[in-house]
Amino acid sequence: MESQILSRLKIQAVGGGKIDLICPPDSVDEFIDLCCAEGTTIEGFTWWCHVTEGHIPCGMGGPKSVYFDGWFSEIPMDDIIRLGDNESYREFFNRTWPSDKNYHGCYWPGFWIEDN
């Protein structure tokens, strides 16, 4: 995925460019649309807490946000969360996650995409 697209969507790459693409919740649908259009498979995601002034980090240390105030705190996880296909991620972020009892508005996904 081109860096101009990531920049336009305000997605911050933390890893080597294919992992931990921290995506603002408002950009998730468009990111999934672009992955589908490019034939790119989402491999999974990790959680990052968007830490702003007055918010106690939910996880460990992490990078300063490039596009927003604050920084990102990495949520400790045993493994990435993997779903069946790109549309399963859309369903999760639009319907399942917002009504989950563990929902945190500060959690932003760090997508992992296939290595083309």
Side-chain angles (χ1 to χ4, degrees), residues 1 8 12 20 37 45 50 54 71 78 84 90 104 110-111 113:
M1 189 160 295
R8 181 174 57 82
Q12 183 168 335
D20 284 329
F45 69 93
H50 180 217
W71 58 286
D78 292 332
R90 185 186 315 276
H104 293 279
F111 287 108
I113 57 175

Side-chain angles (χ1 to χ4, degrees), residues 48-99:
W48 291 81
C49 169
H50 180 217
V51 183
T52 54
E53 188 175 333
H55 178 75
I56 297 171
C58 299
M60 307 175 293
K64 181 177 179 351
S65 177
V66 173
Y67 303 104
F68 302 95
D69 289 337
W71 58 286
F72 295 103
S73 170
E74 186 174 12
I75 304 301
M77 300 173 62
D78 292 332
D79 197 3
I80 67 174
I81 298 170
R82 298 175 195 272
L83 303 176
D85 56 26
N86 289 0
E87 288 306 318
S88 297
Y89 291 97
R90 185 186 315 276
E91 176 72 21
F92 178 81
F93 287 106
N94 286 332
R95 291 186 181 81
T96 306
W97 175 240
S99 62

